[in-house]
Amino acid sequence: MTSSSDDINFNNDNDMIHWAIIGLGDVCTIKSGPAFYKSHGSTLSAVMRRTPNAARQWIETNAHILPTNVCNSIKGYDNIKDMIHDMSSQGRKLDAIYIASPPGAHLENVRSLCNAIDTLPSSSSSKTNNNKIKAVYVEKPCGRCAWETNAMIDELKHRNIKFYPAYVSRAHERTQVLQKLLQDGIIGDKIVNVKYTQVGSSLARGLDDNGSKSSNDIPWRLNAQYSGGGLIMDMGCHVLDRLDYLFGPILNVKSNVLRKGKGESYSLVEDYVHMTAMIGECSWSTISSEGATVECTWDFSPPNKDESKEEIDELIITGNQGSIRLGGMGSGLPIDILDMNGKLIKTIEFDAPLHPAQPLIQAVVNELRHVKDDEVVKDDLARSPARADNAVRSSEVLDSILGSYYGGRHDDYWRRADTWPGLSRGEEE
């Protein structure tokens, strides 16, 4: 169970990690926002949103749920430079930044942050070792393409700032238990095949009219300029990253990418993806997985007017002595262990964390505070399992999957919809 800052002695301010949030969208409401002041050794000191006064209004709106010490000290800003310079001039501690904007603004925000740090007065306390930005935690899928993800990492590395991607499922209890089950050989000593199927777009808002909304009304997740593509960018990236974490890098990607929906009044991002691949060699998997085949299907296309579409979210991991079945997206869904004939042997139940990002944020905080393995609260991690290199690999896999549809991924492809769905028009490569 992740610990809460309610149990912390806030007088020990030097030992706390002080966070600022850039962007205050829906991800900050439940998933991640509260974790920055509920995690042990962590507090929230500043928030920023571009819309004038929106950050200050967010503080007022959330005053009833913010801890008293946070509510009394947190400040709101309209731009990154003002936030960094003001916090510095007042000698207020700021250790880490959470970038929670849509992916299309991530690189711009990282560059603005770096510029703000670079333009601080040379005597500023925010440039000293005792009070400087140590880390940036970026919402997944980090960049719209691998080039952007790498560009962010390079900007931060140049300033000795750590980069953490928000691939939260790596730190979930369910993922950690699954990793241990694989290590213990519950389904054998080798992974043979991994198959994932997702049908339905229940988490995509604004599609109740079969996709016939104007471009001004659609969710940002379906606008490639903001998201980098369709829902696979927002949802599928979690599964791809989890496979990377458990088994190794995803290689030899082949894909069939289509637009099945009939809406013609907004940018026609893909809504169906079928991918085949294999697992490559790695040094981090707890079970032999090299050469295992991977097959994933994402069908986010809206149903026809008279069609009912069953929602599916199923990940099946097949070893040489059995298989494991579980939901791919939920943090509290059960794990089923099956024998070689597909007969259920055991089901393991989990409680979903109230704030899905808190286990990973706690791990990041622990790492920044140099907490040792034997000092963490039960089930917490002393070091973040999400790193810059896995963010890059996930971006590269998404580029390999979607490149043919968008006619390339290393330029402003989101601005040239006339090239979609690309020369291959979604045909198998």
Side-chain angles (χ1 to χ4, degrees):
M1 183 177 74
T2 304
S3 54
S4 167
S5 63
D6 294 341
D7 301 325
I8 296 169
N9 177 5
F10 286 101
N11 293 324
N12 188 13
D13 188 69
N14 289 332
D15 194 38
M16 300 283 287
I17 298 299
H18 290 246
W19 288 88
I21 297 177
I22 295 174
L24 293 167
D26 57 1
V27 72
C28 292
T29 305
I30 298 295
K31 178 186 175 183
S32 62
F36 293 102
Y37 54 81
K38 287 189 173 184
S39 294
H40 181 74
S42 177
T43 191
L44 182 60
S45 296
V47 290
M48 175 260 151
R49 200 171 198 174
R50 291 181 182 180
T51 305
N53 297 315
R56 288 174 281 278
Q57 290 172 4
W58 183 90
I59 295 171
E60 294 174 3
T61 300
N62 289 277
H64 65 291
I65 61 173
L66 292 171
T68 302
N69 65 294
V70 174
C71 194
N72 290 342
S73 62
I74 191 172
K75 295 197 67 175
Y77 299 90
D78 298 337
N79 67 77
I80 294 172
K81 185 176 181 179
D82 285 352
M83 179 178 74
I84 296 298
H85 281 242
D86 184 57
M87 294 286 284
S88 172
S89 66
Q90 295 186 34
R92 302 187 65 195
K93 195 166 183 281
L94 189 60
D95 303 288
I97 309 292
Y98 169 40
I99 295 181
S101 58
H106 286 177
L107 178 56
E108 176 187 354
N109 284 330
V110 166
R111 285 175 168 167
S112 295
L113 172 63
C114 291
N115 180 68
I117 294 171
D118 292 346
T119 56
L120 284 170
S122 58
S123 60
S124 169
S125 62
S126 288
K127 283 193 171 183
T128 69
N129 289 332
N130 293 328
N131 191 18
K132 69 182 291 290
I133 305 300
K134 301 177 179 70
V136 174
Y137 175 82
V138 182
E139 260 307 325
K140 38 54 65 183
C142 298
R144 285 172 290 197
C145 58
W147 182 88
E148 287 192 347
T149 302
N150 274 307
M152 280 183 275
I153 294 169
D154 288 344
E155 289 276 2
L156 296 172
K157 185 177 181 180
H158 179 67
R159 293 161 179 86
N160 200 29
I161 298 173
K162 293 182 179 181
F163 177 97
Y164 294 99
Y167 281 110
V168 299
S169 67
R170 287 179 171 238
H172 286 159
E173 178 190 10
R174 191 177 71 139
T175 303
Q176 295 297 310
V177 169
L178 176 56
Q179 188 179 58
K180 185 64 165 57
L181 290 171
L182 294 169
Q183 182 179 19
D184 291 344
I186 195 73
I187 58 171
D189 60 4
K190 183 174 179 60
I191 298 302
V192 177
N193 174 261
V194 179
K195 184 176 182 179
Y196 177 67
T197 304
Q198 181 170 10
V199 176
S201 54
S202 58
L203 298 183
R205 291 167 291 282
L207 295 179
D208 55 349
D209 62 349
N210 198 29
S212 59
K213 284 190 177 293
S214 71
S215 59
N216 293 327
D217 294 331
I218 65 168
W220 66 261
R221 291 171 178 83
L222 297 182
N223 186 326
Q225 181 176 352
Y226 299 107
S227 66
L231 285 178
I232 190 176
M233 294 293 296
D234 187 51
M235 298 170 69
C237 68
H238 273 301
V239 173
L240 293 170
D241 179 76
R242 190 181 297 114
L243 299 187
D244 177 282
Y245 180 55
L246 293 171
F247 307 118
I250 299 172
L251 307 177
N252 298 340
V253 173
K254 295 183 179 180
S255 62
N256 185 28
V257 185
L258 304 170
R259 171 71 188 187
K260 294 173 68 176
K262 298 178 181 178
E264 298 292 339
S265 60
Y266 63 83
S267 298
L268 300 179
V269 295
E270 85 294 337
D271 57 15
Y272 175 88
V273 173
H274 178 260
M275 178 202 82
T276 59
M278 65 174 289
I279 300 296
E281 180 182 3
C282 79
S283 60
W284 61 86
S285 178
T286 61
I287 186 171
S288 175
S289 306
E290 185 179 0
T293 57
V294 179
E295 181 181 5
C296 298
T297 302
W298 292 272
D299 187 354
F300 299 115
S301 63
N304 296 325
K305 188 171 290 187
D306 300 324
E307 177 188 7
S308 61
K309 204 169 189 178
E310 179 185 1
E311 300 270 338
I312 301 174
D313 172 30
E314 184 179 69
L315 175 62
I316 299 177
I317 302 164
T318 302
N320 56 355
Q321 294 182 28
S323 62
I324 291 174
R325 179 179 63 207
L326 67 156
M329 293 300 298
S331 57
L333 297 176
I335 292 176
D336 291 334
I337 301 170
L338 313 173
D339 66 16
M340 294 185 66
N341 297 315
K343 181 181 178 181
L344 180 65
I345 299 173
K346 182 180 180 181
T347 296
I348 304 174
E349 303 281 350
F350 299 91
D351 293 325
L354 176 60
H355 309 295
Q358 188 167 348
L360 179 57
I361 292 168
Q362 181 67 73
V364 170
V365 169
N366 288 343
E367 182 173 329
L368 295 176
R369 295 176 69 225
H370 306 291
V371 175
K372 298 178 182 178
D373 288 333
D374 59 358
E375 295 174 337
V376 297
V377 177
K378 183 179 181 296
D379 296 330
D380 284 351
L381 301 174
R383 189 169 183 267
S384 170
R387 324 294 298 184
D389 57 349
N390 69 265
V392 172
R393 289 194 301 272
S394 292
S395 288
E396 289 174 343
V397 172
L398 287 165
D399 283 355
S400 296
I401 292 171
L402 298 175
S404 63
Y405 184 89
Y406 289 98
R409 298 278 291 180
H410 299 285
D411 61 357
D412 292 351
Y413 67 88
W414 52 86
R415 299 185 188 277
R416 49 173 178 75
D418 57 312
T419 68
W420 306 354
L423 297 177
S424 67
R425 299 191 62 83
E427 295 176 359
E428 196 82 28
E429 295 184 336

